[in-house]
């Protein structure tokens, strides 16, 4: 398991007098007001350009580390805070406050950038982190699944089990079941349904979201990460393979065209042409290839229309406006 332990970017702290000595509060306020600095916690600031270059997960991790480091007594990081530490991504917004567990009889409250959740510690699986404790990957995924929509729970569980993660999966089904077995909690049935549906094969949050929608829209269960041998291109993996219908489905994320890491030295245009060549090669060896982007996941009717329009049958009618899972 690999927990994040360092800030993604440098943080300037008022108490350290890194802007001027002594600190010029008016100047610091002007820097925030003109947008060149971002206040991430009381007395802590980061350059706006560097902050905006971070992913939402990295931004929350920055807040988590900053708040944790200034907290005098040891804390138990939980839920979104723990997810940021373990790199469990999500599709919704990240909270502004850092979530920690406190004894169940205490009563939850928020102050100083912290949301205190009176969930108790009985049977909770935790690990040491920077002088504090953090719920384990298995515990974190369970906690998120117990409170979130089914889709968001599956995303968290898939992320925790993801086998192709750098350094290996954070946890596995056996460990998740073991952690859950020692807990009596509300939402147990929901968590169990999420665990049953989860997989170690989803390579992104959008693939997990797509997989949930494919099932809820009544389409056949796909094979995940099916490999095809393409002339001149070698082996390529596809997101979804509907074996009985000789039909490939793929989420077409923008990261492959914009993320410098994924571009690996190529220009966005070169990446786009390579993806087109890959798609054309797949279409020559299978009956159909369906592709969709994020808007089709925000409105499931669009995904339904794409797949049925390409000939994939569904056992259910087109969903109503606003349907979400």
């Amino acid at each position: 398991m690999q927990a994040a332990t360092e800030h993604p970017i440098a943080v300037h702290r008022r108490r350290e007098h890194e802007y001027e000595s002594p600190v010029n509060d008016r100047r610091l306020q002007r820097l925030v007001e003109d947008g060149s600095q971002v206040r991430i916690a009381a007395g802590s600031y980061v350059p706006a350009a560097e902050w905006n270059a971070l992913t939402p997960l990295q931004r929350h991790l920055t807040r988590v580390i900053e708040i944790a480091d200034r907290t005098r007594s040891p804390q138990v990081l939980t839920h979104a805070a723990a997810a940021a530490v373990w790199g469990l991504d999500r599709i919704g917004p990240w909270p502004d406050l850092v979530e920690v567990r406190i004894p169940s009889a205490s009563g939850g409250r928020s102050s100083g950038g912290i949301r205190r959740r009176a969930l108790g510690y009985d049977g909770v699986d935790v690990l040491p982190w920077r002088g504090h404790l953090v719920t384990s990957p298995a515990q974190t995924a369970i906690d998120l699944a117990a409170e979130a929509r089914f889709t968001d729970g599956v995303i968290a569980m898939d992320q925790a089990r993801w086998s192709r993660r750098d350094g290996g999966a954070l946890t596995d089904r056996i460990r998740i079941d073991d952690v859950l077995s020692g807990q009596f909690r509300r939402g147990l049935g929901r968590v169990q349904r999420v665990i049953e549906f989860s997989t170690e094969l989803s390579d992104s949050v959008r693939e997990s979201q797509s997989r949930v929608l494919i099932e809820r829209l009544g389409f056949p269960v796909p094979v995940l990460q099916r490999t095809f041998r393409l002339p001149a291109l070698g082996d390529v993996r596809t997101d979804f393979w509907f074996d009985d219908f000789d039909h490939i489905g793929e989420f077409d994320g923008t990261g492959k065209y914009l993320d410098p890491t994924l571009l690996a030295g190529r220009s966005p245009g070169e990446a786009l042409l390579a993806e087109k060549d890959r798609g054309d090669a797949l279409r020559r060896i299978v009956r159909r290839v369906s592709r969709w982007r994020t808007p089709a996941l925000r409105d499931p009717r669009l995904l339904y229309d794409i797949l049925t329009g390409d000939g994939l049958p569904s056992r259910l009618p087109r969903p109503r406006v606003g349907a979400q899972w």
Side-chain angles (χ1 to χ4, degrees), residues 8 15 21 26 29 32 39 44 50 63 68 84 124 174 185 190 196 203 230 282 312:
R15 66 182 182 273
S21 183
R26 290 185 178 179
Q29 183 61 32
V32 174
R39 179 181 179 273
S44 298
E50 295 181 26
R63 281 199 170 98
V124 176
I174 294 174
R185 59 182 306 148
R190 178 186 303 177
E196 288 299 325
D203 282 348
L230 300 179
L282 286 171
L312 190 67

Side-chain angles (χ1 to χ4, degrees), residues 20-295:
E20 292 181 5
S21 183
V23 173
N24 186 322
D25 287 326
R26 290 185 178 179
R27 177 176 179 271
L28 186 54
Q29 183 61 32
R30 285 197 302 270
L31 292 174
V32 174
E33 291 174 350
D34 70 18
S36 60
Q37 294 288 323
V38 175
R39 179 181 179 273
I40 64 169
S44 298
Y45 303 83
V46 294
E50 295 181 26
W51 178 256
N52 293 333
L54 297 179
T55 65
L57 186 156
Q58 291 172 323
R59 293 177 192 172
H60 193 62
L61 174 63
T62 301
R63 281 199 170 98
V64 169
I65 294 177
E66 190 65 14
I67 294 295
D69 282 356
R70 65 174 62 192
T71 303
R72 295 179 180 178
S73 59
Q75 303 292 322
V76 179
L77 303 181
T78 190
H79 289 73
V85 168
W86 293 115
L88 305 182
D89 210 347
R90 59 171 59 195
I91 56 174
W94 290 82
D96 294 328
L97 301 178
V98 174
E99 295 174 292
V100 302
R101 284 177 178 263
I102 60 175
S104 55
S106 301
R109 60 191 183 279
S110 300
S111 64
I114 292 177
R115 180 189 177 192
R116 296 172 179 85
R117 308 192 58 173
L119 301 172
Y121 310 123
D122 290 345
V124 176
D125 193 37
V126 295
L127 294 166
W129 179 83
R130 290 179 65 100
H132 300 278
L133 295 172
V134 60
T135 53
S136 69
Q139 182 71 60
T140 303
I142 289 169
D143 288 340
L144 295 172
E147 297 186 359
R149 295 184 311 155
F150 182 78
T151 298
D152 296 323
V154 169
I155 288 171
M157 200 66 66
D158 281 0
Q159 288 273 297
R161 296 181 60 188
W162 181 30
S163 61
R164 282 168 36 82
R165 179 185 293 273
D166 288 344
L170 296 174
T171 190
D172 57 29
R173 173 66 186 271
I174 294 174
R175 181 58 183 162
I176 292 168
D177 287 341
D178 183 56
V179 170
L180 185 62
S181 67
Q183 301 178 9
F184 297 91
R185 59 182 306 148
R186 294 174 59 186
L188 178 61
R190 178 186 303 177
V191 174
Q192 290 173 329
R193 289 190 293 273
V194 167
I195 293 173
E196 288 299 325
F197 192 82
S198 69
T199 179
E200 63 183 34
L201 297 176
S202 279
D203 282 348
S204 72
V205 296
R206 294 299 183 184
E207 284 187 29
S208 295
Q209 185 183 20
S210 296
R211 195 164 60 87
V212 172
L213 289 182
I214 287 169
E215 189 273 337
R216 294 300 169 95
L217 292 172
F219 292 105
V221 177
V223 175
L224 306 182
Q225 308 301 329
R226 169 72 151 79
T227 299
F228 291 86
R229 174 63 60 88
L230 300 179
L233 296 179
D235 291 341
V236 300
R237 284 193 319 277
T238 56
D239 298 339
F240 308 103
W241 164 240
F242 303 94
D243 194 2
D244 290 344
F245 302 92
D246 198 22
H247 193 137
I248 289 171
E250 294 204 304
F251 172 72
D252 189 19
T254 58
K256 67 185 72 172
Y257 311 116
L258 302 175
D259 188 326
T261 301
L262 297 179
L263 284 171
R266 298 176 300 172
S267 69
E270 290 171 332
L272 181 62
L273 289 175
E275 190 65 21
K276 183 181 184 303
D277 290 342
R278 176 182 178 278
D280 290 343
L282 286 171
R283 288 183 177 88
R284 286 192 286 269
I285 64 173
V286 300
R287 183 182 178 190
R288 294 288 176 89
V289 177
S290 296
R291 298 173 69 86
W292 56 88
R293 295 178 59 194
T294 302

